[in-house]
Amino acid sequence: MVGNGLVPMADRHAADRSAARRILYLIVDNVVGRPGRARRKLEVERADLETIIANLVGGHFNDPVRIVAFDPTAHWSKDVSRELAEEIQTRCDIDAMPVPEHIQDFVRSHWASARAAVAH
């Protein structure tokens, strides 16, 4: 109904999707296999974290080092490497499968820092 102050469900979902689409992810990929050496940066303009996780697990990146989320409209950025490493580790644990070799270093380094932060 118009004028009742309620936002129709379809409009709320559209607003959520719109907000999510503002977020850009910058994935820093280590090209030569050793941190500190020639890195290439790839902007993945997808707000869907499922796609980002699927691309990481699926081997679309050589050796991911860091992932940063940006919302240019809201003027913020955040390193989301730890959160994604934790999510990947959790999913692999649930599925009783090892973390894929190509992202083991990424998950180990960021997940270990998360566990250390909790322990202190």
Side-chain angles (χ1 to χ4, degrees):
M1 298 188 107
V2 176
N4 65 3
L6 299 176
V7 177
M9 186 64 82
D11 290 346
R12 273 191 272 166
H13 288 302
D16 290 343
R17 284 191 306 272
S18 172
R21 285 191 185 125
R22 295 187 304 220
I23 299 174
L24 303 174
Y25 293 91
L26 178 71
I27 299 174
V28 180
D29 198 24
N30 189 10
V31 177
V32 295
R34 290 195 332 204
R37 297 285 186 144
R39 292 181 181 168
R40 100 183 131 180
K41 297 178 182 180
L42 303 172
E43 281 192 29
V44 180
E45 294 188 35
R46 297 183 190 117
D48 180 5
L49 280 177
E50 289 302 317
T51 302
I52 299 297
I53 291 170
N55 286 345
L56 287 165
V57 172
H60 290 111
F61 300 97
N62 182 52
D63 181 15
V65 177
R66 183 161 316 282
I67 302 167
V68 181
F70 295 91
D71 185 339
T73 306
H75 307 291
W76 62 261
S77 64
K78 179 182 178 190
D79 184 336
V80 294
S81 303
R82 185 180 78 192
E83 289 91 341
L84 289 176
E86 288 177 22
E87 183 63 25
I88 291 167
Q89 181 67 59
T90 299
R91 290 179 186 199
C92 288
D93 290 347
I94 289 169
D95 292 341
M97 62 178 262
V99 172
E101 186 176 335
H102 60 275
I103 57 172
Q104 283 179 356
D105 289 341
F106 172 80
V107 170
R108 247 187 244 123
S109 66
H110 293 287
W111 194 58
S113 68
R115 289 184 301 167
V118 170
H120 289 272

